[in-house]
Each structure stands twice: as structure tokens, then as C-alpha cells.
Amino acid sequence: MALKKLIAITALGFLSQSCLAVTVDISARASHPIPKLLWGQMFEAGPALYSQSGDGGLYAELLQNRAFQQVTPGTTAALSAWQAVNNGNITVIQESTPLSAALPNALSFSVPAGSSGQVGFANTGFYGIKVTAGTSYKASFYYRFPTTTSFRGNALVQLQTNAGTVLGSATVVLSGSQTSWQQITTTIVPTVTASSTANLFVISLDGEAASGQSINFALLSLFPPTFKDRPNGMRIDIAEALQEMGPSFFRFPGGNNLEGQTVATRWKWNDTIGPLTDRPGRMGDWGYINTDGLGLLEYLEWCEDLEMEPIMAVWAGYDLGGTSVAANQLQPYIQEATDQINFVIGDSSTTGGRYPTHNLCSCEQMFPGRKRVALGRTEPFVLNYVEIGNEDFFADVSYIYRWQEFVGNLSATFPQIRFIATSYTSGPVLTPAPQHYDVHVYETPTWFAQNSFYYDDFERNGTTYFEGEYAAVSTNPNDIFGTPADGRLTYPTMQSSAGEAAFMTGLERNGDIVFSAAYAPLLNHISGTQWTPNLISFDSGAVYRSSSYYVQKLFSVNRGDEYLPSTLPNQNGTLFWSVVRETSTNSIIIKIANTIGTSAPLTFNLPFNTVASSGTVQVLTGAATRSNTPTAPNDIVPIARSITTGKRLDYTAPGYSVSVLTVVAS
Ligand SMILES: *[C@@H]1O[C@H](CO)[C@@H](O)[C@H](O)[C@H]1NC(C)=O
Ligand SMILES: *[C@@H]1O[C@H](CO)[C@@H](O)[C@H](O)[C@H]1NC(C)=O
Ligand SMILES: *[C@@H]1O[C@H](CO)[C@@H](O)[C@H](O)[C@H]1NC(C)=O
Ligand SMILES: *[C@@H]1O[C@H](CO)[C@@H](O)[C@H](O)[C@H]1NC(C)=O
Ligand SMILES: *[C@@H]1O[C@H](CO)[C@@H](O)[C@H](O)[C@H]1NC(C)=O
């Protein structure tokens, strides 16, 4: 099957690329289809390595530490993101009457005797809260009085600036006779748009009327309108930025965040489903607590909303602390993975393991498919790919038996599903032989340009590859994960983006064995950054698309459906291209990455009977070190213009550029 080199024609003009035009002959006959899932997204729920990507990011909840999950009552840390207003007395307690088994903690609030004015408490959001006039914010909380009192009075539920200016307000009634948990829901429609995101969510009572009262609060929440109006849904501006990329798959839930620092703190699918009161949250892998409000069902619905296929990972017996579960202890985790898959695709009769909170009958067994139906989703979801663990190239030897036992069992139960190995082909020999490997690479821009031919020499033997994480992260080959002072990038630069594009032309050329690829990390809250660079940055107010974002988008929305062989670029050069066709529109799409600062003239020969006299070019270009940043978010954006064409197409790729030429020809 290694026909590429035969079809290839050696590049011309190698030594004098900058002055002599490079001539590229294009074949009218496709060599392979462009895989349907070639371009997509890798998502790691956060806060995690990938800095506040779920909570405080894609997941639209505006309150941080909303349910005091996984905190130690009585500590200052337990009050993270909460503050007193006008001497309101607040502390996190372990509730004697918890709201639910999953949420044992509550906020104890008391109004000191002799108070006056509005006394209460506030949440600072995820590094701020964006407040827009006329927008409906859905606020909710649970409350109860620990002991009955005769109090009955108003509580104000408000959005305020940090300086205390009220932006929007709602009034609810609290009753001292309410000693069991009661949920209050209300809507705040601000009358003023805040000039910054330095705002607070505040609940307060009249200090005189409520003097001496003590009230417990649990699971407080504030949602702006969400993407497609989904309850418990996604933040609209981030969702739209992701949607614009036209992704065809979504890899979740990680990444390192799947693994857990310990076996006990691994990502457990069953802790992320059902009412929010059933979700305990978990300590994520990088010292932050995940609410798991963005849970398995939300991921699956999100995939459907963006017409993406899930590439879902199951926990596979290895944690980030380095513990491998012994071979004879794996059974419960294989059951857990089976149940997770059955929740996604099973019917109502698939029985499962033991899940105390989720049993639907008295028989001590959970029916994962029935649980999904009970949560309102009758139809199974599409699920073709399941990844076994994450980055098991770090755990070489134990992966031999873990792979064997997981895939042995899962493929017997789910023969239609394809399983992806997360070790490397250079690692231990796995049985059964993996059909798919997930390859990760974080390197320099130069490495990416020099490895545009990475897959060309791979054996064509049925094994295919998922480039599950990649990014040019540093200009220093000796210190890839160092600091900005050592070359680590803070934001993608035009040089790093052009390097990635060069590599991506190679992924298209090798689309017969590379079936998917995703840049990583996807999302970063600029106030919670733990890793740089990221594809999309944001703060509580706005979204910032990087130059690499535009590269991903240009490749994805111009992906075509078949690959047309062409004169190969010089493997050791600096200029790379690939050609695809979109058969439904007869469009020939040429992608060009120029990875140095000198412009490069090219001549393409289009061997078609009819070629339109004009086409379009979309160009992303800028100086090597230029980046889109929060202060200059649109420094590097694709510019489209028309170009004159014909059977011969002349084009000069600017220095440090990614160009997409589209010409109709048949
Ligand atoms: C604050 O509340 C705690 C109980 O949660 C109580 O022990 C303490 O005395 C209160 N402080 C004031 C100043 O009211
Ligand atoms: C989820 O499953 C684990 C066992 O895998 C169990 O210990 C835990 O209680 C379950 N969580 C819920 C919320 O039922
Ligand atoms: C299935 O899992 C069990 C328990 O871990 C293991 O003993 C068995 O070998 C596995 N089956 C296959 C076909 O790998
Ligand atoms: C295909 O080739 C790779 C690399 O040589 C090897 O690791 C893999 O096991 C092979 N796949 C099959 C199905 O033989
Ligand atoms: C590229 O450079 C390497 C050495 O760096 C050399 O072995 C190889 O033959 C070169 N390939 C081409 C196509 O020039």
C-alpha cells in the first residue's frame, strides 16, 4: 500500500526556493479519502491541566465553589470565591442534615445581633462575572433554618459591582419555619451593563429584621443564557468559537484529568450524571476541584449540538501518581468501563455494576441504559471510538495486561466499537494488536515543519493513528516545557502556527493512516493559566482566538473529501503544501504553509478540463513572534481575497503564512 513515493514527483527548485518559483503538479485522481473525523477537538475538563476549561470555561455556571464540593469544612479554603458582605458571618460546615449524600457541606450564614443595612455574602465568580443589561440570569439556591424561628422576610439576590453598585436585583422570601431544604429559583435581569467583569453575586437580608438569624445555604448557582438554551449548558461565546471550527470529533474527558492522582480520585462517569445534587465533584489532577456539572450526558449532548462524534476515554487501571491496578484486581474497573459505554449506547435492559445512588430497582444492580432513558434520553448516542486510558506510554509494562483485559472484555461486549491504544507502536507489544494508536507531540515550530513527513514511511498494514494532542509550544528544542524566558510560548505565534500547518499538510497526505487529529490544549482562562500556549483563551468577559485556532479552522472548514497527490514538497525545506478536492462543489483546495520569513513563489499545474478563471485565497500571515493576545486579539486573522487562475495558478506565499487556495475545476 506504500504507493505515495511512486506517485510522488520530486520537488523542483529546492536550493533556490526563494527566487525561483516551485512548480507543483497536481494529480486529478484521488489517492485516498480524507477521513471524516480528521479535524476535531481534544477537551480536558477543568480546572485541570487545561486551565479552567470546563468549570469557569465552556460550562456556563458563573459561581465558583457553588456547592462546597470536596472542601474541608471550617477552613478558609472552603470559602474560596465567597466573601462576607457588611459583616455577614459565613463559614462552611458539614451539614447535620445534608442536602444529599453527594453534597455533605453547606454554607452557614448568620446575621450578627445589632446589624443594620443589607447583610449577606457574595461570590466572586471565576475571576469575575460578566453582567449585561437585559440578559436573564437564572439564580438558584437551597436554604434551610437549622432551628425553627419566627423570622419571615425578604432576601435580595443581586448582581453588584465590587464597589457595591447594584446592577440587577430580585427579591425572594425566606421563612424561619423552613428547616428542611427548600430550593429557591429566581431570575435577575440587570438594568445596567457593567463596565468591567469585577462584579459579585450577592445574597443579603435586612440586618435589623434578620438580626441574630442563622441560615444554611447549599448548591448556589447562577447561569446566563446558554448555547442552544440547554439547561446546565455551555457558555455561548466559547461554544460559538468551538462551533466555528467545524470540528468532527470531540475527545473527552481527558487527558490527565481522566486518570486521577490516585485510583480513588479517578474520573468516575457515574459521579457526573443525574441531578446536580447527585454529583459529588472530585479533586482534579492539578489541585483544583471539578464540579462535574459538565458530566457525561452534557458531553454527549454537546457532541450532538456541534455534530461531532465522541472519542470517549475509559479509565484503564492507571493513575497519575503511577499506581497500576494489579491484573487480578481489574474486574470492577472493567465493569465500570462497560457500564460507562452502556450508559452511552445501551438499551434499557443492560445491567451493570453496583452504584448506590443510581440504582433504579431494589435489585442492587444498575441498568446504565435505563438510567440514560430515565434522564430523558431514549435514543442511544453514536459511539464508534473508545480510548483505553491516557498516555499509557508512561506506564509501558502494566499496559500489556491492562490493555489485554480491558480490550479483551470490552470488544467481546461491544464488537462494533474501535478501541484506541495510548501507548506507542515503539512500546510493548500488545495483544490483541491495537487497530489504532493515540500519538501526542509537544515540540518546537521547527520540529513540526521538519516532521511534515512523519507518517509517510509508516507501514500500511491496517493500523491507523489518532494525533490526539499536538502543539508547537516552545522555540527551544532543549527546553520544550520550560518558561517563557527559555522559549516557552505564552500564546501561539505566527511561527508556531505555520509549523503546525506544515505538519498538518502531512496529516492530510497520510490521511489513509491518520484518521483524526486535534491541537491541545483547547481552552484557557487567562486568570487561571496552568499551561501555555492554548488554542483559545478567554476571561469572564471575552474569547480570544489564537493564530493556531485560525489554522485549525482553515484546515477543518476546508477539509475536502479526497486527497489529490501532488509534487512532494522538499522534506528538508521550509515550504509545505497539500491538495484536496471537495467533490460536491468540484473545489480544488490547496493548503500552503511557509515556515520562514521569506516569501515563496509557487506555480500549480491544474490538470483539469475546465478551470474557473478566478478563485479565492485565505491568508493568515504575520511576523514570526506575533500572537493574538487579550490586548491585541485580532492581530493575526485570515484575510480572504480573489485570485486569478486557470490551468496554471501562480501564487506567492508570504513569509510566515498559511494560505488556503480554492479553485473550482473539473
Ligand atoms: C459566626 O457563626 C459561628 C457559627 O457558624 C458562631 O460560632 C460565631 O459566634 C458567629 N460570629 C459572630 C460574630 O456572630
Ligand atoms: C459511582 O461508582 C462508584 C463505584 O465505582 C461508587 O463508589 C460511587 O458511590 C458511585 N457514585 C454515585 C454517585 O453513585
Ligand atoms: C476479562 O477480564 C477478566 C477480569 O479482569 C480477566 O480475567 C479476563 O482475562 C478478561 N478477558 C479477556 C478476554 O481478556
Ligand atoms: C503495523 O505496523 C506497526 C509499526 O511497524 C506495528 O507496530 C503494528 O503492530 C502493525 N500492525 C499490524 C496490524 O500488524
Ligand atoms: C533530509 O536531510 C537528511 C539529513 O538531515 C537526509 O538524510 C535526507 O536524505 C534529506 N532528504 C531529502 C529529501 O533531501
Side-chain angles (χ1 to χ4, degrees):
M1 292 263 293
L3 291 177
K4 298 223 142 44
K5 290 286 159 74
L6 298 179
I7 298 169
I9 307 152
T10 311
L12 307 173
F14 150 42
L15 288 173
S16 48
Q17 193 160 277
S18 55
C19 38
L20 259 181
V22 174
T23 301
V24 179
D25 293 321
I26 296 175
S27 162
R29 252 186 84 176
S31 57
H32 58 263
I34 293 296
K36 220 177 90 221
L37 303 191
L38 187 54
W39 309 118
Q41 296 171 350
M42 185 284 174
F43 182 82
E44 168 131 41
L49 170 61
Y50 300 161
S51 329
Q52 221 93 45
S53 53
D55 294 324
L58 179 57
Y59 182 52
E61 173 65 70
L62 292 170
L63 304 189
Q64 188 170 4
N65 190 21
R66 69 180 174 191
F68 317 101
Q69 291 160 291
Q70 305 295 325
V71 299
T72 306
T75 60
T76 308
L79 278 172
S80 167
W82 294 96
Q83 62 191 42
V85 173
N86 192 16
N87 292 325
N89 183 7
I90 51 171
T91 183
V92 175
I93 56 164
Q94 183 175 352
E95 246 290 1
S96 54
T97 310
L99 175 60
S100 64
L103 300 178
N105 300 330
L107 184 74
S108 164
F109 164 67
S110 55
V111 181
S115 292
S116 61
Q118 287 297 123
V119 176
F121 55 92
N123 189 281
T124 52
F126 289 92
Y127 316 102
I129 299 175
K130 182 182 185 179
V131 178
T132 310
T135 297
S136 294
Y137 293 81
K138 286 185 185 154
S140 66
F141 60 84
Y142 290 82
Y143 85 98
R144 75 176 196 101
F145 281 69
T147 51
T148 309
T149 75
S150 59
F151 175 83
R152 189 180 167 81
N154 288 342
L156 297 181
V157 182
Q158 297 181 320
L159 286 162
Q160 299 183 359
T161 66
N162 280 358
T165 304
V166 176
L167 302 162
S169 188
T171 303
V172 300
V173 176
L174 303 185
S175 165
S177 63
Q178 187 69 46
T179 54
S180 60
W181 288 107
Q182 158 104 38
Q183 190 181 25
I184 300 283
T185 60
T186 188
T187 301
I188 307 172
V189 183
T191 49
V192 182
T193 294
S195 57
S196 84
T197 57
N199 304 310
L200 302 170
F201 170 76
V202 181
I203 296 182
S204 64
L205 282 78
D206 179 304
E208 271 169 61
S211 169
Q213 297 294 327
S214 178
I215 312 172
N216 293 352
F217 289 85
L219 186 52
L220 303 104
S221 172
L222 182 70
F223 266 91
T226 58
F227 186 69
K228 297 209 172 181
D229 264 334
R230 290 229 183 240
N232 197 42
M234 308 302 186
R235 179 174 143 176
I236 291 173
D237 55 353
I238 295 178
E240 286 177 349
L242 295 174
Q243 183 182 40
E244 269 170 42
M245 286 170 67
S248 55
F249 71 86
F250 192 66
R251 174 177 169 227
F252 70 87
N256 292 143
N257 207 44
L258 167 79
E259 293 172 72
Q261 288 290 357
T262 64
V263 174
T265 56
R266 71 191 181 280
W267 184 83
K268 298 187 198 84
W269 73 275
N270 64 304
D271 278 351
T272 75
I273 61 166
L276 296 181
T277 48
D278 281 354
R279 305 188 197 187
R282 64 181 272 266
M283 181 52 84
D285 282 4
W286 302 90
Y288 290 87
I289 294 150
N290 293 195
T291 68
D292 286 335
L294 179 47
L296 180 51
L297 192 56
E298 286 80 15
Y299 284 130
L300 294 164
E301 288 170 340
W302 167 244
C303 285
E304 288 194 340
D305 283 351
L306 259 59
E307 296 174 30
M308 304 181 286
E309 262 196 38
I311 295 185
M312 182 178 80
V314 295
W315 193 79
Y318 179 75
D319 69 35
L320 263 188
T323 308
S324 298
V325 176
N328 63 4
Q329 304 291 310
L330 279 180
Q331 198 282 328
Y333 305 105
I334 294 171
Q335 181 67 52
E336 193 171 284
T338 307
D339 294 345
Q340 181 184 333
I341 297 171
N342 267 327
F343 178 81
V344 181
I345 62 169
D347 64 27
S348 289
S349 66
T350 51
T351 56
R354 289 159 184 255
Y355 299 96
T357 310
H358 299 300
N359 291 340
L360 290 171
C361 62
S362 54
C363 58
E364 287 275 307
Q365 284 252 313
M366 179 180 169
F367 292 75
R370 192 187 297 179
K371 183 72 193 180
R372 186 197 68 238
V373 173
L375 293 174
R377 171 67 188 217
T378 313
E379 288 299 304
F381 289 94
V382 168
L383 181 67
N384 292 316
Y385 290 96
V386 169
E387 184 156 29
I388 305 297
N390 173 63
E391 297 191 338
D392 278 290
F393 46 79
F394 285 124
D396 272 1
V397 180
S398 76
Y399 200 50
I400 297 174
Y401 66 80
R402 291 186 292 110
W403 169 267
Q404 179 163 17
E405 288 192 36
F406 271 86
V407 173
N409 284 276
L410 294 177
S411 60
T413 313
F414 308 105
Q416 76 281 21
I417 288 181
R418 296 163 165 275
F419 297 96
I420 304 172
T422 70
S423 60
Y424 287 155
T425 51
S426 55
V429 175
L430 301 178
T431 318
Q435 289 175 288
H436 315 289
Y437 283 91
D438 179 357
V439 181
H440 294 179
V441 52
Y442 296 102
E443 267 291 355
T444 61
T446 309
W447 185 97
F448 277 96
Q450 288 172 345
N451 284 273
S452 180
F453 283 71
Y454 186 84
Y455 285 102
D456 288 61
D457 293 329
F458 272 48
E459 233 177 296
R460 268 58 186 171
N461 60 7
T463 302
T464 65
Y465 299 88
F466 173 29
E467 192 73 36
E469 297 181 20
Y470 65 95
V473 299
S474 173
T475 53
N476 184 347
N478 300 316
D479 197 8
I480 298 294
F481 298 109
T483 63
D486 298 322
R488 183 77 180 254
L489 305 178
T490 306
Y491 294 94
T493 60
M494 193 56 230
Q495 183 189 26
S496 71
S497 303
E500 289 152 9
F503 185 70
M504 292 164 74
T505 62
L507 300 183
E508 285 188 342
R509 185 171 59 251
N510 288 278
D512 58 329
I513 60 164
V514 178
F515 68 98
S516 288
Y519 181 101
L522 188 60
L523 293 169
N524 163 53
H525 193 307
I526 58 166
S527 301
T529 302
Q530 289 205 27
W531 172 290
T532 64
N534 300 272
L535 197 66
I536 298 172
S537 291
F538 60 89
D539 52 30
S540 33
V543 171
Y544 312 108
R545 293 155 171 81
S546 71
S547 47
S548 290
Y549 167 90
Y550 289 113
V551 168
Q552 292 292 319
K553 178 178 164 180
L554 283 170
F555 273 69
S556 180
V557 304
N558 298 290
R559 71 176 70 193
D561 55 8
E562 53 185 37
Y563 185 80
L564 301 182
S566 60
T567 307
L568 284 178
N570 171 13
Q571 187 167 344
N572 292 344
T574 53
L575 182 66
F576 301 89
W577 59 84
S578 61
V579 186
V580 299
R581 172 159 50 204
E582 176 60 50
T583 47
S584 64
T585 56
N586 279 333
S587 298
I588 309 302
I589 303 167
I590 304 170
K591 303 188 182 82
I592 305 161
N594 185 0
T595 63
I596 57 168
T598 314
S599 64
L602 296 109
T603 296
F604 293 93
N605 292 322
L606 303 172
F608 303 96
N609 295 329
T610 336
V611 179
S613 57
S614 74
T616 60
V617 57
Q618 304 168 75
V619 201
L620 189 72
T621 186
T625 57
R626 293 304 283 261
S627 295
N628 290 336
T629 66
T631 47
N634 299 315
D635 199 36
I636 301 169
V637 297
I639 307 289
R641 60 181 162 85
S642 68
I643 43 165
T644 306
T645 177
K647 293 188 181 188
R648 175 186 160 139
L649 167 53
D650 292 316
Y651 177 71
T652 297
Y656 293 115
S657 67
V658 178
S659 307
V660 178
L661 314 183
T662 305
V663 179
V664 173
S666 54

